[in-house]
C-alpha cells in the first residue's frame, strides 16, 4: 500500500465513509510521482471532482469562446448561470441569445453574478442599464446579483469616484455554465474578449458535479450581494438599498454591506467543507479538478495555500520539472516569487503581456501609465532573479533550449493579452500533468483584494488502455495550449524601457492594486 492509500484508508475508517474518501485512490495513485503526495493531501482538504478527459475541450480563440457560450445558452433547459466582472454594452449577440432562451423556455432561470462597481459605472452603457430591459420583461426568471467589495468602506466609499473605486477589489470569478456543463475562463463578456483579446477557455461537457459546485458557489455568495431590480420592491426596508439611474439596487441581508467579511468567510468555508469527498463513482481514466477560492479580504487563501504545498513538493523532486506560468498583468505576488526563486531544480518559462498588449495601453489619464507600471514590476522581478542566480542559461541539448527562469513577452498586432495560469510538466520533454486556470492573475491584487475562483486540474500520467488514450490527448492539448501562447512571444525587452519617476510614485501609492 503506498503512502496515499495509507492516508486515505486510515482517514476513511476514522470518519466512517470509506467509499467517499477512497474514491481518489485509483485516480491519484496513477498521478505522476512528482505530484502524487501533493494531490493526495489536497483531496483530503479541498473539494475535488473527477471528469473524463473526453468531456474536456480546450479552446484557443476568442471567437470559439463566444460561439461555445452562445451554443450553451441555446441548449440550456433549466438554468443559465454566469459569473463575470461585467457585461459590455455592445454584446447584442449574447443578449439576444439570453432573451430568446427566456422567451422560448418558460421554466428556464438565468442567474448573473457580476461586480457592482464595474457594472454600475455612470451612463447608459453600464451593465445595469444594458440588463434593465430584459429584467423588466422577465423579473421572475432573471436574477442579477451585484457583488460589492467590503474593502472600500466608510468615508472612502463616499469620496472615491466611479472606476477608481474598483481599485479596492472586485468580483473577479469567471464561470459560464448551463444545466450540467460549464466553461471556465479568465475572459469577461465584452466585445474585445470575443474578438482580439487572448485568454484561456476550458469547456467541461456533461459534468454535473462540477457544474453543481459552480452554481452552489454563486448561490452561497448571492445573499451578500445587491440585487438589481427595475424598481423598489413593495417590502423594501433595508436602509442600504438605493435607487440609481432608473434602476434599484436592493440589499436584503441583515448584515451591513461593509461588514460581510466574517459571514462570507463562514459561508464559503461551509461550502468547501461540504464538498470534500462528496462524489462517488468510477475512477478509471479521469482527471481530478480542485476548485480553489482566493478571497483575501475574507481570510480565504486556498490558492496561496495550495501553491505553497505544490512548491514544497517540487523542491523535493530529484527530477527537473518545467513550470510554465503566464499572466496578462504580471506583477507576481511576492510569496510566489519567493517560491520560484527558492526552487533551483525547477525550470520556469513565464509569459507577460508586452506594453502594447496590455489592455490599458493608450488609455487616457492615470490608467495610461498602467503598462509602464507593469514594466517596473517586471524589471524588479528580473533583478531578483539575477540576484538569486536563476537567470535563464542556454543549454544546447535541452528540449527547451535552456535552464533557469525565462521571462518572455506576448505580442500580436491588434491584439491584447489576458491569459493566466500555470502548466506543470514532469520534465522539459513531457506534456503537462497539472494546470491551474480561472480568474487569478497570480498577483497581490488577486491575493488580497479581488474575489477569485480558480481550478487546479491534475491529470494521471497515462491512461489504462495502452494505445493513445483520451488522457494522453488531453495532455497533448495542454501542451498545444502552451505552444500557441508561446508562438507570439519574443525575448523580454523591459530592460530597455524607461519608467518615469512619476510612474514609480504612482505604483508606490497604489501598490497592491495592480
Amino acid at each position: 500500500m503506498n503512502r496515499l492509500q495509507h492516508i486515505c484508508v486510515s482517514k476513511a475508517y476514522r470518519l466512517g465513509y470509506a467509499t467517499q474518501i477512497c474514491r481518489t485512490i485509483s485516480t491519484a495513485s496513477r498521478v505522476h510521482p512528482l505530484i502524487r503526495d501533493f494531490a493526495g493531501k489536497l483531496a483530503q482538504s479541498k473539494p475535488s471532482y473527477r471528469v473524463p478527459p473526453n468531456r474536456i475541450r480546450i479552446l484557443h480563440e476568442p471567437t470559439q469562446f463566444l460561439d461555445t457560450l452562445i451554443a450553451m445558452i441555446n441548449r440550456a433547459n433549466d438554468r443559465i448561470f454566469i459569473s463575470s466582472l461585467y457585461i459590455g454594452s455592445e454584446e447584442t449577440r449574447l443578449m439576444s441569445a439570453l432573451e430568446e432562451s427566456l422567451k422560448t423556455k418558460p421554466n428556464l432561470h438565468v442567474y448573473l453574478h457580476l461586480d457592482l462597481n464595474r457594472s454600475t459605472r455612470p451612463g447608459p452603457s453600464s451593465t445595469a442599464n444594458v440588463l434593465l430591459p430584459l429584467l423588466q420583461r422577465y423579473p421572475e426568471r432573471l436574477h442579477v446579483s451585484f457583488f460589492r467589495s467590503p474593502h472600500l468602506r466608510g468615508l472612502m466609499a463616499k469620496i472615491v469616484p466611479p472606476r477608481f473605486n474598483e481599485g479596492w477589489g472586485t468580483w473577479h470569478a469567471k464561470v459560464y455554465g448551463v444545466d450540467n456543463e460549464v466553461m471556465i475562463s479568465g475572459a469577461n463578456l465584452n466585445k474585445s474578449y470575443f474578438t482580439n483579446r487572448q485568454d484561456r477557455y476550458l469547456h467541461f461537457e456533461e459534468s454535473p458535479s462540477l457544474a453543481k459546485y459552480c452554481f452552489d458557489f454563486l448561490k452561497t455568495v448571492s445573499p451578500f450581494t445587491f440585487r438589481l431590480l427595475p424598481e423598489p420592491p413593495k417590502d423594501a426596508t433595508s436602509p442600504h438599498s438605493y435607487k440609481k439611474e432608473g434602476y434599484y439596487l436592493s440589499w436584503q441581508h441583515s448584515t451591513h454591506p461593509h461588514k460581510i467579511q466574517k459571514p462570507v468567510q463562514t459561508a464559503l468555508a461551509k461550502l468547501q467543507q461540504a464538498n470534500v469527498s462528496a462524489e462517488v463513482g468510477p475512477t478509471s481514466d479521469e482527471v481530478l479538478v480542485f476548485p480553489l477560492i482566493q478571497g483575501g479580504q475574507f481570510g480565504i487563501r486556498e490558492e496561496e495555500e495550495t501553491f505553497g504545498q505544490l512548491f514544497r513538493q517540487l523542491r523535493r523532486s530529484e527530477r527537473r520539472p518545467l513550470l510554465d506560468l503566464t499572466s496578462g498583468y504580471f506583477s507576481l505576488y511576492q510569496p510566489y516569487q519567493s517560491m520560484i526563486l527558492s526552487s533551483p531544480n525547477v525550470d520556469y518559462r513565464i509569459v507577460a503581456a508586452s506594453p502594447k498588449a496590455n489592455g490599458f495601453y493608450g488609455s487616457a489619464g492615470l490608467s495610461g501609465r498602467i503598462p509602464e507600471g507593469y514594466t517596473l514590476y517586471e524589471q524588479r522581478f528580473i533583478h531578483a532573479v539575477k540576484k538569486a542566480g536563476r537567470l535563464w542559461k542556454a543549454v544546447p541539448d535541452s528540449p527547451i533550449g535552456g535552464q533557469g527562469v525565462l521571462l518572455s513577452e506576448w505580442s500580436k498586432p491588434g491584439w491584447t493579452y489576458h491569459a493566466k495560469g500555470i502548466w506543470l510538466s514532469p520534465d522539459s520533454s513531457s506534456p503537462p500533468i497539472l494546470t491551474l486556470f480561472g480568474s487569478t492573475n497570480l498577483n497581490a491584487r488577486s491575493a488580497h483584494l479581488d474575489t477569485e475562483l480558480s481550478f487546479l486540474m491534475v491529470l494521471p500520467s497515462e491512461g489504462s488502455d495502452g494505445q493513445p488514450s483520451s488522457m494522453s490527448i488531453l495532455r497533448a492539448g495542454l501542451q498545444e495550449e502552451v505552444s500557441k501562447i508561446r508562438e507570439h512571444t519574443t525575448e523580454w525587452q523591459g530592460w530597455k524601457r524607461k519608467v518615469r519617476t512619476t510612474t514609480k510614485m504612482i505604483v508606490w501609492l497604489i501598490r497592491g492594486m495592480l
Side-chain angles (χ1 to χ4, degrees):
M1 181 181 290
N2 66 31
R3 186 165 181 267
L4 172 64
Q5 291 171 319
H6 174 74
I7 291 171
C8 187
V9 170
S10 15
K11 183 170 182 180
Y13 279 107
R14 210 166 51 240
L15 299 181
Y17 46 97
T19 306
Q20 289 181 317
I21 292 291
C22 292
R23 66 192 169 80
T24 58
I25 287 182
S26 177
T27 299
S29 63
R30 290 191 294 107
V31 168
H32 194 281
L34 176 68
I35 56 171
R36 187 176 296 156
D37 285 349
F38 161 76
K41 291 176 182 177
L42 197 61
Q44 294 180 66
S45 60
K46 301 289 187 291
S48 60
Y49 298 94
R50 299 189 315 282
V51 182
N54 59 3
R55 294 182 185 173
I56 303 172
R57 293 175 60 226
I58 301 171
L59 311 179
H60 301 288
E61 300 291 338
T63 52
Q64 291 177 307
F65 170 53
L66 176 59
D67 290 343
T68 301
L69 180 58
I70 296 299
M72 291 169 63
I73 291 171
N74 289 342
R75 61 176 168 262
N77 290 312
D78 301 315
R79 64 185 181 188
I80 297 170
F81 51 100
I82 288 175
S83 171
S84 194
L85 183 65
Y86 68 106
I87 298 176
S89 59
E90 301 177 13
E91 313 328 312
T92 54
R93 189 178 167 196
L94 172 63
M95 295 304 297
S96 297
L98 290 173
E99 182 171 14
E100 182 65 19
S101 291
L102 283 166
K103 179 181 177 181
T104 58
K105 300 169 184 175
N107 295 322
L108 177 71
H109 284 254
V110 176
Y111 303 86
L112 304 179
H113 200 113
L114 309 164
D115 181 70
L116 185 142
N117 287 330
R118 182 61 181 86
S119 297
T120 60
R121 287 182 179 180
S125 62
S126 72
T127 299
N129 279 314
V130 167
L131 291 173
L132 196 56
L134 197 59
L135 190 59
Q136 289 168 335
R137 286 193 286 275
Y138 303 99
E140 303 300 322
R141 294 193 290 124
L142 176 58
H143 316 272
V144 183
S145 298
F146 284 163
F147 182 88
R148 183 192 179 281
S149 169
H151 196 73
L152 182 63
R153 54 187 181 272
L155 179 61
M156 291 295 288
K158 298 178 180 178
I159 64 175
V160 176
R163 191 174 185 184
F164 290 95
N165 56 13
E166 297 159 30
W168 276 258
T170 64
W171 177 260
H172 206 240
K174 316 294 170 60
V175 174
Y176 304 102
V178 307
D179 296 341
N180 289 329
E181 60 181 308
V182 64
M183 181 163 50
I184 307 299
S185 180
N188 293 303
L189 300 176
N190 182 291
K191 182 180 179 180
S192 63
Y193 292 92
F194 300 149
T195 53
N196 61 349
R197 188 155 172 75
Q198 185 64 55
D199 216 301
R200 298 182 67 194
Y201 330 88
L202 277 82
H203 179 210
F204 294 80
E205 303 170 333
E206 197 52 39
S207 302
S209 296
L210 182 59
K212 181 181 183 301
Y213 170 85
C214 293
F215 184 63
D216 287 347
F217 170 73
L218 300 182
K219 283 200 306 180
T220 299
V221 180
S222 183
F224 307 100
T225 65
F226 286 84
R227 187 172 179 185
L228 177 66
L229 299 173
E231 56 188 23
K234 294 180 181 178
D235 58 348
T237 57
S238 173
H240 310 303
S241 303
Y242 60 99
K243 191 174 181 64
K244 181 177 181 179
E245 292 189 354
Y247 53 84
Y248 189 76
L249 296 170
S250 174
W251 180 263
Q252 298 174 328
H253 202 275
S254 58
T255 304
H256 191 289
H258 294 174
K259 300 178 180 180
I260 61 172
Q261 290 89 336
K262 188 62 179 177
V264 170
Q265 180 191 45
T266 300
L268 288 175
K270 286 182 178 178
L271 170 73
Q272 295 299 81
Q273 189 58 42
N275 283 280
V276 173
S277 303
E279 187 182 17
V280 180
T283 58
S284 62
D285 293 334
E286 294 172 314
V287 304
L288 290 174
V289 180
F290 299 89
L292 302 176
I293 301 172
Q294 183 77 8
Q297 57 192 315
F298 307 118
I300 300 174
R301 299 185 172 277
E302 293 184 348
E303 173 199 307
E304 198 171 335
E305 294 162 3
T306 301
F307 265 51
Q309 295 169 16
L310 176 61
F311 277 86
R312 282 192 294 273
Q313 181 78 32
L314 296 181
R315 279 196 293 269
R316 293 196 294 266
S317 173
E318 296 180 359
R319 307 184 61 153
R320 191 167 190 89
L322 169 65
L323 191 144
D324 284 286
L325 182 152
T326 191
S327 175
Y329 298 116
F330 184 74
S331 54
L332 197 62
Y333 184 37
Q334 190 62 41
Y336 297 167
Q337 176 175 306
S338 298
M339 292 175 197
I340 287 175
L341 298 184
S342 62
S343 307
N345 62 318
V346 184
D347 294 320
Y348 297 91
R349 297 188 301 182
I350 299 171
V351 175
S354 69
K356 288 186 177 180
N358 186 294
F360 291 94
Y361 182 79
S363 295
L366 288 177
S367 60
R369 296 289 187 98
I370 289 178
E372 194 174 310
Y374 282 107
T375 293
L376 177 63
Y377 278 115
E378 291 162 11
Q379 291 173 347
R380 290 174 177 172
F381 173 74
I382 286 296
H383 177 75
V385 171
K386 183 178 181 180
K387 187 176 180 181
R390 296 282 282 125
L391 281 175
W392 188 260
K393 297 176 182 178
V395 177
D397 59 346
S398 168
I400 54 174
Q403 293 181 348
V405 178
L406 175 66
L407 178 61
S408 305
E409 56 184 50
W410 190 95
S411 179
K412 185 178 179 181
W415 284 59
T416 57
Y417 189 69
H418 198 251
K420 65 268 296 186
I422 68 171
W423 300 259
L424 174 67
S425 300
D427 53 63
S428 57
S429 59
S430 300
I433 54 174
L434 176 152
T435 185
L436 177 85
F437 54 97
S439 65
T440 179
N441 282 307
L442 304 171
N443 53 23
R445 180 184 176 95
S446 288
H448 298 306
L449 297 178
D450 292 339
T451 303
E452 308 280 10
L453 179 65
S454 297
F455 297 81
L456 189 79
M457 184 164 69
V458 174
L459 298 86
S461 54
E462 59 182 19
S464 61
D465 52 9
Q467 295 302 315
S469 64
S470 53
M471 190 67 70
S472 62
I473 292 171
L474 179 58
R475 289 185 64 198
L478 290 172
Q479 184 69 62
E480 182 186 15
E481 186 182 31
V482 175
S483 298
K484 282 184 174 292
I485 286 174
R486 296 194 60 81
E487 276 179 10
H488 300 284
T489 62
T490 57
E491 181 182 351
W492 179 69
Q493 300 294 315
W495 59 275
K496 296 179 180 179
R497 299 181 180 116
K498 179 177 176 56
V499 178
R500 288 166 282 187
T501 302
T502 50
T503 299
K504 294 179 181 178
M505 292 174 60
I506 293 169
V507 169
W508 180 84
L509 286 170
I510 63 172
R511 57 193 180 278
M513 291 185 180
L514 286 182

